[in-house]
Amino acid sequence: MTTVPITVAYGDGIGPEIMAASLHILQAAGAQIDIEEVQVGEKIYLQGNTSGIEPAFWESIRRTRVFYKAPLTTPQGTGFKSINVTTRKSLGLYANVRPSVSYHPFIDTKHEKMNLVIIRENEEDLYAGIEHRQTNEVYQCLKLITRPGSEKIVRYAFEYARANNRKKVTCFTKDNIMKLTDGLFHKVFDEIAAQYPDIENEHWIVDIGAAKMADTPENFDVIVLPNLYGDVLSDVAAQIAGSVGLAGSANIGEHASMFEAIHGSAPRRAGQNLANPSGLLLGGVMMMVHIGQPEVAERVHNAWLRTVEEGTHTYDVYREGVSKKKVGTREFAEAVAANVGKLPQTLPAASYAKDRAVSASTAVTVNHAQRDLVGVDVFLYWDEAARNPNILGDALRGLGSEALKLSMVTNRGLKVYPDGMPETFCTDHWRCRFLSPGKVAVPHSEIVNLLGRVMGAGFEFIKTENLYYFDGEAGFSLGQGE
Ligand code: NAD
């Protein structure tokens, strides 16, 4: 077996202890790895570097393409950027893979048969971080869902299912409300699911889907979902399986991949030989599969299952009557290392076939639809005392042209003009839609001229959103109540 270089960050808080423990176990099981240590996190922040990352870090990752990362502390305060988010996005780590498995009866859980994997889109959605305060009252966060991003993550989920002998992929979205963004994710899911007839597929609206997952997780296998839902639900899944302290995660990209525990740096437990290294170790098991050493992954995983079965537990999962021995981080690592070569006796043994590393194509559909500009949503800050939509609408109506006519005014998405309801609460933020009556293409100059008239009439526009048809299909949603 050739030695594989990996980049390692020992992290903050409990990080150094659980990383030392995990590397000790991996090496005891024969991992052929060459460790390049990098400094990221608290120390670097405290030196005045707000990114928490040294340039040498990127050089190392470009060389090794594999990053094994202990948890990092992001200092409180607006001046510091999260290294996790920077790393995921800078390196294009588009797929976040989080298995959640119950280890009944050895680890306390209400769900004895749970064994699911959450595959979370890792780069887009509300996590694009594009936020603005637009008026005195209104703040916005842009939700960006892209076709390439959705295709890559959904295809990864089906390839993961195939490589790991899983039978079903479930998609959660909220496309009954967000018909364009979540609607795209769902549509791409249906398109790609059709290319995998050997794997069952289903879609749930995220609210009822999440409720079902929390109630009967054994009915789920692989779940693929956009970033925010995935972030929330993967912690729920890990916790109901037994403990967030037991779950590892992989962040997979085309150029590099990162392996970690899902929990944080637990600073209050640091330096006391208390922390459970299992989450980081299981992240390491995924890394061994990824770098082509599945037999090491199998030995480590089975030694760990055997140790859990023997009741050798750290404080966080220790239960009187179930656990046999409460141990610290180092003793737990020694126990797992001593079990290398043994199989679990009750829990199902882990088995990693040679071909288990997932190889998903990241080729995406190239889309050059015919785009026709047919209108504009002009967003206004308007704080006239009565906030009467009829006064605003009547004034704006006169500012339209033959090419672009006022079709409606909405407040927080609800149509308030024409024919609004007097009971509706209105803020100081108004969306005023001007549309081409025949939905025929208009030049951009029509919009510029319209904005000139709006400004001339004393209104303050705070942003515009162009309205397009794509191959004859509207690229914008209706107003609620329209
Ligand atoms: P946390 O996950 O660090 O801790 C939550 C709780 O779980 C604590 O009670 C802690 O004692 C316990 N816990 C967590 N991991 C444990 C383990 N391995 N063994 C035993 N007990 C464990 O979450 P937090 O307290 O919200 O965050 C602390 C810091 O970690 C913050 O700076 C946060 O930004 C950072 N964080 C980092 C990552 C990461 O690097 N991936 C993820 C989450 C949070």
Side-chain angles (χ1 to χ4, degrees), residues 374-376 378 396 400 404-406 432-436 450 467:
V374 297
V376 64
V378 181
L396 290 173
L404 287 179
K405 291 198 182 309
L406 181 73
C432 312
R433 175 162 290 177
F434 290 87
L435 262 184
S436 144
L450 170 68
L467 306 176

Side-chain angles (χ1 to χ4, degrees), residues 182-237:
D182 280 24
L184 172 65
F185 197 92
H186 185 176
K187 187 170 165 199
V188 166
F189 177 77
D190 288 344
E191 287 168 12
I192 291 183
Q195 297 163 20
Y196 293 84
D198 49 321
I199 296 169
E200 197 188 328
N201 71 81
E202 63 179 8
H203 172 270
W204 290 101
I205 298 295
V206 61
D207 37 17
I208 187 61
K212 281 174 179 290
M213 186 197 80
D215 186 45
T216 49
E218 63 275 18
N219 291 344
F220 293 91
D221 197 349
V222 174
I223 305 178
V224 64
L225 62 192
N227 205 341
L228 176 63
Y229 313 141
D231 193 3
V232 175
L233 292 184
S234 57
D235 268 31
V236 172

